[in-house]
Amino acid sequence: MQLIFLNRNTLAYKDFAPIQPDFEIVLDMVVSQKSTFTLNKSSVNAAVGDVAILKHGSFSYIGILEEIIDEDNGTLKIHCQDFKELFNIKVPIETYSGDLCALLASKIRQAFVENEDTKQCLRYLDISVNSSVTGKLSYDDDSLINIDDLIELLLKSYSIIVKYKVGFIRGRFASINIIIEEVSKATKLRSDFKEIRDLSISDSDANSTNKITFYPKKENEAHKAAISYYLLKDGSISGDKDAEGRYEYVNSTAEYYSDDDYESLGTKAQSSLCSAISDHEITFALSVDNNVFVPLVNVFLGFYIQFYAPNKTYDTLLTQIKYKKNFDVCYLTLGEQRTSLTDKIKLLKKGMGSTGGNISVSTTITDVDGGNY
């Protein structure tokens, strides 16, 4: 196998290098991760920021070169970020009602295709919209949003995912295709699927936020009552404190609301509490020689998974895909909890770095009928 290096601004070919079998490829939608390769070369015509591509059968990896280390033994160690880190950039955002897939495509074009800064422009990005999902996002005036955060919001609220792959013309690298589409069906996966091994489940229902209370601002004239919403065990939201399916132990949060916010409190509660649905970490190794559930071939980051564990059924997200040393076995993580100390620190930093205006969303429920494995 070999890595191919391309100029980030033009996608022009620069160099290639055979890789040793000690590679580790990590794609993670919760925290930023690095992929690592050892090159069987003492030098390479590539620079930090260039695009690195590895293709193996139907699997392909696209990364951004972050670090090159001379091992002093005729090899180079390199670290790459996932290509999605390219979207870690802020753009203006405004209240919007309409096709949200088209909105996301326009924000990506605004940042990378139509930008007046030629150093930032990546005209080889080919953005395809394969679905139409209608919804509404409400923001304060003069708000900014990180495109990566917008992608996460649209995934959780509207089941919109972003995939990317390399495009070729007559055998040459011609584009990187950004594909925006709705995943309207969840994929069913049983813990006793014969290709699964080393299953581990860390569940923290007791620590998940399952109640939010909105308190009226002092200047409110029409609405002066505190209003609470509750997360139920089936993932739905209720305004009834006696609703069946409430969690036994309360872990609550609170916000203030204005008169103008009143009509959108239900959707704000949904947005705030929906992340608790995937507040667990389910990890396992999966043999990819199964033709039905193959990560990065027919299953991608952000896919909704209904996972049947021995004692509980989880409605969750596929949040990490890892390959190491070979492509025969893949290591998967479902859910947004992370138990490793390093990843916990990354999550803390991510939370501290999140800024933005007041937002409300209108959400949809994903059907469960995307395959049974």
Side-chain angles (χ1 to χ4, degrees), residues 10-27:
T10 65
L11 216 62
Y13 171 82
K14 295 186 71 172
D15 206 349
F16 79 96
I19 64 170
Q20 295 188 1
D22 63 346
F23 67 87
E24 181 175 84
I25 296 173
V26 188
L27 308 177

Side-chain angles (χ1 to χ4, degrees), residues 212-353:
I212 183 168
T213 300
F214 296 99
Y215 294 102
K217 292 183 177 181
K218 287 184 178 181
E219 63 265 26
N220 282 15
E221 295 181 358
H223 304 287
K224 298 181 179 294
I227 301 172
S228 294
Y229 292 90
Y230 311 92
L231 176 68
L232 306 184
K233 292 180 180 179
D234 65 359
S236 63
I237 305 296
S238 174
D240 180 4
K241 64 181 177 60
D242 298 316
E244 185 177 354
R246 280 195 64 191
Y247 286 90
E248 182 177 359
Y249 302 106
V250 173
N251 189 10
S252 64
T253 187
E255 296 181 18
Y256 280 103
Y257 75 93
S258 67
D259 283 336
D260 290 340
D261 294 331
Y262 181 78
E263 296 298 329
S264 64
L265 292 185
T267 52
K268 290 182 69 175
Q270 178 77 29
S271 178
S272 176
L273 296 176
C274 69
S275 63
I277 298 171
S278 56
D279 193 10
H280 49 256
E281 183 182 49
I282 303 171
T283 61
F284 53 89
L286 175 77
S287 171
V288 299
D289 186 22
N290 62 70
N291 298 320
V292 292
F293 193 95
V294 185
L296 300 179
V297 176
N298 63 1
V299 181
F300 298 87
L301 281 183
F303 265 41
Y304 280 90
I305 307 294
Q306 189 170 67
F307 187 76
Y308 296 88
N311 300 312
K312 181 178 178 180
T313 299
Y314 293 85
D315 294 313
T316 184
L317 294 170
L318 175 57
T319 57
Q320 187 185 94
I321 298 172
K322 180 189 297 184
Y323 285 96
K324 53 184 180 180
K325 296 185 178 180
N326 63 68
F327 290 101
D328 299 326
V329 176
C330 184
Y331 302 85
L332 301 180
T333 299
L334 309 179
E336 295 184 275
Q337 184 190 129
R338 293 294 183 263
T339 54
S340 93
L341 179 59
T342 300
D343 286 349
K344 285 182 177 179
I345 293 172
K346 289 179 180 178
L347 275 172
L348 178 62
K349 290 181 177 178
K350 178 180 178 181
M352 293 173 64

Side-chain angles (χ1 to χ4, degrees), residues 90-232:
K90 290 184 177 181
V91 293
I93 188 73
E94 57 286 326
T95 293
Y96 178 87
S97 180
D99 187 343
L100 296 173
C101 295
L103 171 68
L104 178 56
S106 72
K107 294 302 177 184
I108 296 174
R109 290 193 183 97
Q110 178 184 343
F112 298 108
V113 179
E114 301 165 356
N115 198 298
E116 294 181 355
D117 184 351
T118 57
K119 296 291 186 182
Q120 186 173 321
C121 245
L122 305 177
R123 299 194 184 280
Y124 56 78
L125 292 184
D126 183 7
I127 304 167
S128 302
V129 177
N130 294 344
S131 303
S132 178
V133 180
T134 301
K136 181 178 181 179
L137 301 178
S138 298
Y139 286 89
D140 289 339
D141 293 337
D142 302 321
S143 291
L144 295 171
I145 191 167
N146 188 303
I147 293 179
D148 203 26
D149 291 339
L150 179 60
I151 291 171
E152 181 179 351
L153 174 67
L154 295 181
L155 167 65
K156 292 179 179 179
S157 299
Y158 290 93
S159 305
I160 296 170
I161 69 166
V162 176
K163 301 186 293 187
Y164 44 88
K165 64 180 183 179
V166 179
F168 297 89
I169 296 179
R170 295 186 293 276
R172 292 177 174 269
F173 295 102
S175 63
I176 292 180
N177 302 328
I178 309 296
I179 304 162
I180 301 170
E181 61 188 19
E182 180 188 18
V183 180
S184 59
K185 307 293 183 183
T187 299
K188 301 175 184 179
L189 182 63
R190 298 180 58 89
S191 62
D192 58 0
F193 181 45
K194 63 184 180 66
E195 306 297 348
I196 288 178
R197 58 180 174 82
D198 300 331
L199 175 65
S200 174
I201 299 176
S202 175
D203 198 340
S204 64
D205 277 350
N207 298 319
S208 299
T209 301
N210 51 50
K211 174 184 175 181
I212 183 168
T213 300
F214 296 99
Y215 294 102
K217 292 183 177 181
K218 287 184 178 181
E219 63 265 26
N220 282 15
E221 295 181 358
H223 304 287
K224 298 181 179 294
I227 301 172
S228 294
Y229 292 90
Y230 311 92
L231 176 68
L232 306 184

